[in-house]
Every structure is written in structure tokens, then in C-alpha cells.
Amino acid sequence: MSADLMQDINGLIGIWQPRKTYHIGPSYLDDLKRFLQEKLATPRSFFSGKKTAIEFVDGKGMDIGVKRKVGQTVEAVGIVMKRDLATLADLKLLMEQVNLAEKEYQEMFLVLMGTLTADMEGKLGAFLANKSPPAKITVVKK
């Protein structure tokens, strides 16, 4: 479905380093979005022969939605970023956000930054494993 876009975004999130240390979470999200826009705006290949269009969407549960149209194929991936997953309240908020986002995006990335307790990580893993039907959700720790 969106395997190419998933692979591209996975690689970009893996190499992304915030431009500076921010004091609030939304600044990290803006930094990541700018990075993805810059990297995905460049053509995939000079010889590909297919026109590529990238669209970034905000809202509907996810923090960043990326849609890429190559030829007649539309790929869509959602990105949810969570800074500091240390309490049950943090986890519940993240779970609600994931449930909303997966209605629009069947493939998503959860980017976890800052404090992440082992207990909350285990509970998040159980939540993701027990989803029905399971969406393709990749967890990335930064």
C-alpha cells in the first residue's frame, strides 16, 4: 500500500536530528515537519518519469499526515509525536490520539521523545498489540 512512503519516512525519521534543543514539544514537531518537507520535496529520481506530488496534512488525530501521489497511486502515512510518556494520563492521551489517527491513516509512526518509563512502554506495547484490526504502527524512539 504505502510501503515506499513508509520506507522513505522511516529512513528520514531515523536520520532526523532537531536543529536545536527546544523547551516545548510542539517545536520538535515543527522541526520534524520542516525536515520532512525539505527532504521529500526533492525528486526521487531524475529518470523516474513519474510526476510526484507531496501534501502535508495536520489534524484528525495525527500530528503530521503525509500524502504522496506518484502517477495514479496515492500513499498516505500519519506521524504522531509524543514527548515524555511517563504517566498513565500521558498514555491515555496518546492512545486516544492513535485511535483517532488510524481512522484516516492505516500506516503510522509513533515518534517517542524525552522521558519514557519502562512501565508506560510496556503498556503502550500491549495497547498496540491488542488493536483490532491492527494498523501498521511503527514506534521510533528519539
Side-chain angles (χ1 to χ4, degrees):
M1 191 158 140
S2 301
D4 290 341
L5 184 59
M6 282 289 288
Q7 187 175 7
D8 290 348
I9 290 180
N10 190 33
L12 291 173
I13 289 174
I15 63 171
W16 170 68
Q17 292 296 319
R19 292 178 171 112
K20 63 181 188 173
T21 301
Y22 300 104
H23 297 288
I24 58 172
S27 296
Y28 286 101
L29 183 62
D30 291 340
D31 193 297
L32 174 61
K33 185 175 180 180
R34 274 193 312 272
F35 178 78
L36 291 173
Q37 286 173 326
E38 291 167 5
K39 297 298 182 184
L40 290 172
T42 57
R44 294 180 71 169
S45 169
F46 180 74
F47 300 104
S48 70
K50 291 186 179 179
K51 191 173 183 179
T52 302
I54 302 287
E55 176 186 358
F56 285 82
V57 183
D58 296 324
K60 296 184 183 174
M62 87 321 237
D63 292 315
I64 303 171
V66 181
K67 293 183 180 182
R68 177 168 68 187
K69 185 174 182 180
V70 181
Q72 296 300 319
T73 306
V74 176
E75 302 170 306
V77 174
I79 301 170
V80 175
M81 181 182 283
K82 179 66 179 144
R83 186 165 182 234
D84 299 331
L85 185 59
T87 67
L88 197 52
D90 294 336
L91 179 63
K92 286 182 179 182
L93 184 64
L94 179 60
M95 289 166 42
E96 289 174 18
Q97 195 173 7
V98 167
N99 286 336
L100 280 174
E102 74 179 346
K103 291 177 184 173
E104 188 78 20
Y105 294 88
Q106 293 302 306
E107 297 176 315
M108 293 188 303
F109 284 94
L110 289 182
V111 181
L112 304 175
M113 300 182 66
T115 305
L116 175 64
T117 66
D119 182 43
M120 290 302 115
E121 186 174 9
K123 288 179 180 178
L124 176 61
F127 164 73
L128 295 175
N130 291 323
K131 293 198 71 48
S132 178
K136 182 175 167 91
I137 300 174
T138 303
V139 178
V140 179
K141 295 183 229 172
K142 291 298 266 179

